[in-house]
Amino acid sequence: MKLSLFSESETKDVINLFKNVFSESEGEAEGEAISEFVSSLIATTQAKDLVGCLAKDNEITVGCIFFSRFTVPSGQVAFILSPVAVATDVQGAGIGQKLIQYGLDHLKSLHVNLAFTYGDPSYYSKVGFEQINESTVRAPFPLSQPIGWLAQSLDGNKMQAMTGSTRCVAALCDPSLW
Ligand SMILES: CC(C)(COP(=O)(O)OP(=O)(O)OC[C@H]1O[C@@H](n2cnc3c(N)ncnc32)[C@H](O)[C@@H]1OP(=O)(O)O)[C@@H](O)C(=O)NCCC(=O)NCCS
């Protein structure tokens, strides 16, 4: 398996991966919704604000994740991980964790201070994310599952509570995603 950074020429493959994985795990409507979200994320986010990572097996894309810029009131540099997909037939083999770790290492090399995500704490804790409270950092929209609000420091400094609002990229500005 080969890990690499996403480039725009891989857009079609990536959208198909998300569509298939989410259709199979959560139904066709969710597959459609995620493919629209990923298309919008790629089309509307400036290159400096988007980091995608791919896992390929014999040139076939079997995993993909995106981090997009997340603006926090402390002024630290932050990105948020969303979404994540690993092809159904190769799930549970460690690909998701390797891909996320690869992405986090890349963000560290870019001197990013903080990484956030919103998802299952039991999964994302395997790659260093910890549950945070909105009194530490506010989410940009009301959270339907506050236990899924997660973050980690990438620069070795303990994360500090901050006051003020946060901002995500346009594609994530959809209350139904939160
Ligand atoms: C969630 C997902 C990305 C995990 O990737 P993966 O390559 O299958 O996972 P890994 O092999 O790295 O990790 C496996 C471990 O995570 C756990 N795990 C896998 N999917 C999980 C999930 N949805 N929730 C909680 N834990 C999960 C497994 O139980 C396993 O735990 P163990 O190591 O203690 O046995 C993948 O299963 C997937 O694409 N699922 C459908 C889409 C999805 O739910 N995406 C996440 C939301 S954006």
Side-chain angles (χ1 to χ4, degrees):
M1 198 200 31
K2 227 176 94 190
L3 302 174
S4 58
L5 293 177
F6 165 79
S7 75
E8 253 186 270
S9 62
E10 294 161 310
T11 298
K12 210 171 138 205
D13 270 5
V14 159
I15 290 172
N16 282 337
L17 174 75
F18 278 101
K19 189 172 183 172
N20 292 337
V21 169
F22 279 79
S23 295
E24 284 154 15
S25 69
E26 290 175 44
E28 227 165 272
E30 202 51 44
E32 275 305 322
I34 192 92
S35 70
E36 276 171 32
F37 165 53
V38 173
S39 305
S40 153
L41 187 65
I42 295 169
T44 64
T45 312
Q46 287 189 36
K48 68 175 176 49
D49 297 333
L50 188 67
V51 172
C53 305
L54 301 184
K56 288 189 187 178
D57 199 5
N58 288 327
E59 303 302 314
I60 310 279
T61 302
V62 294
C64 182
I65 61 173
F66 283 100
F67 292 90
S68 54
R69 192 174 297 276
F70 189 64
T71 307
V72 293
S74 64
Q76 289 166 293
V77 181
F79 276 70
I80 186 163
L81 170 64
S82 174
V84 176
V86 172
T88 310
D89 57 345
V90 292
Q91 286 176 4
I95 295 173
Q97 288 171 69
K98 284 197 188 103
L99 195 49
I100 295 168
Q101 199 51 61
Y102 173 82
L104 293 170
D105 289 343
H106 180 67
L107 294 181
K108 284 181 194 170
S109 78
L110 299 175
H111 306 292
V112 173
N113 305 110
L114 301 169
F116 291 81
T117 195
Y118 180 46
D120 188 331
S122 67
Y123 183 67
Y124 291 102
S125 63
K126 294 176 191 292
V127 284
F129 286 96
E130 291 176 3
Q131 284 180 270
I132 56 164
N133 196 296
E134 282 205 82
S135 60
T136 306
V137 183
R138 268 166 63 184
F141 288 90
L143 297 175
S144 58
Q145 304 270 347
I147 62 158
W149 187 225
L150 312 171
Q152 65 177 292
S153 168
L154 300 180
D155 62 10
N157 297 317
K158 193 172 160 11
M159 200 170 151
Q160 303 291 330
M162 49 186 95
T163 46
S165 54
T166 56
R167 202 172 72 238
C168 53
V169 298
L172 273 165
C173 288
D174 172 355
S176 73
L177 294 170
W178 301 85

